[in-house]
């Protein structure tokens, strides 16, 4: 009998620990933005001139350096939403990461920027699932990112 009680207590503790981790809110500025900055921004930032004076446009007209651009999405946004708060499976910011590396739509394109780790993908998935809250973050201005 006592064994059962101890077991019940241990199980209860294990469950509450697990849900505590699961409930931690993802902080966009601290946890998501650094990933985007590292792996996405060099191709998805406002127009800038490179060292040869050539104008560099954001790929797919997608600007990811501010909240407005991230919410608005790119040129295919209407057919394939870039961000559906609450549903990562309907958010190409997430689904494109899961495609095969040699798929044309995989992001970031192979060998062009650091690929996301498994944990980084999970974090992005959770951020979207929890409603894609940007907190107080509105934009990053130290541009261009090369
Ligand atoms: C080396 C350049 C490069 C990097 C880095 C890059 N992308 Fe892209 N991205 C592209 C190009 C080129 C396209 C347009 C072709 C296409 O749709 O696949 C594109 C298109 C997209 C689109 C489709 C937008 C639309 O509505 O048409 C999304 C979403 C996207 N990228 C997300 C990301 C994310 C998220 C990252 C970082 C994890 C990233 N990209 C990193 C080059 C890049």
């Amino acid at each position: 009998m006592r064994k059962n009680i101890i077991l019940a207590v241990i199980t209860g503790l294990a469950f509450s620990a697990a849900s505590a981790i699961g409930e931690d809110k993802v902080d966009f500025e601290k946890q998501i933005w650094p990933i985007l900055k590292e792996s996405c921004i060099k191709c998805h930032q406002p127009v800038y001139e490179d060292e040869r004076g050539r104008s560099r446009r954001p790929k797919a007209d997608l600007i990811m350096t501010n909240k407005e651009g991230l919410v608005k999405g790119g040129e295919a946004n209407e057919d394939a939403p870039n961000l559906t708060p609450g549903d990562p499976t309907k958010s190409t910011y997430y689904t494109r990461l899961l495609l095969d590396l040699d798929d044309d739509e995989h992001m970031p394109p192979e060998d062009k920027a650091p690929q996301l780790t498994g944990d980084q993908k999970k974090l992005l998935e959770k951020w979207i699932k929890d409603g894609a809250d940007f907190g107080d973050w509105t934009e990053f201005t130290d541009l261009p990112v090369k």
Side-chain angles (χ1 to χ4, degrees):
M1 183 60 192
R2 191 184 288 161
K3 238 192 225 161
N4 282 346
I5 293 172
I6 293 170
L7 205 68
V9 170
I10 292 174
T11 316
L13 285 177
F15 267 113
S16 57
S19 62
I21 296 166
E23 278 162 22
D24 265 355
K25 206 169 168 236
V26 179
D27 182 320
F28 178 84
E29 188 165 5
K30 286 208 193 94
Q31 296 171 279
I32 303 295
W33 169 249
I35 302 173
L36 304 186
K37 188 178 174 212
E38 170 103 347
S39 295
C40 317
I41 297 312
K42 71 174 188 178
C43 300
H44 295 292
Q45 61 184 322
V47 184
Y48 69 95
E49 266 193 14
D50 68 12
E51 32 307 306
R52 294 198 222 146
R54 278 181 315 190
S55 171
R56 297 291 203 150
R57 296 197 48 78
K59 302 293 186 198
D61 269 337
L62 171 61
I63 293 178
M64 300 178 71
T65 55
N66 56 55
K67 181 179 169 184
E68 200 190 336
L70 278 161
V71 169
K72 179 165 161 273
E75 53 197 24
N77 185 58
E78 252 175 55
D79 301 325
N82 295 173
L83 181 63
T84 305
D87 193 349
T89 67
K90 295 199 177 68
S91 304
T92 55
Y93 291 140
Y94 176 66
T95 55
R96 279 182 176 241
L97 309 174
L98 306 183
L99 299 171
D100 285 342
L101 208 53
D102 60 4
D103 190 308
D104 283 347
E105 296 198 344
H106 176 89
M107 291 292 143
E110 194 175 8
D111 299 332
K112 296 285 173 62
Q115 293 299 321
L116 273 70
T117 65
D119 281 352
Q120 289 177 323
K121 287 181 208 166
K122 274 192 206 136
L123 216 51
L124 196 71
E125 180 188 20
K126 179 163 165 36
W127 175 69
I128 296 174
K129 205 180 255 171
D130 289 351
D133 183 0
F134 288 86
D136 293 333
W137 187 88
T138 50
E139 64 179 329
F140 178 77
T141 51
D142 191 8
L143 297 167
V145 170
K146 291 182 184 169

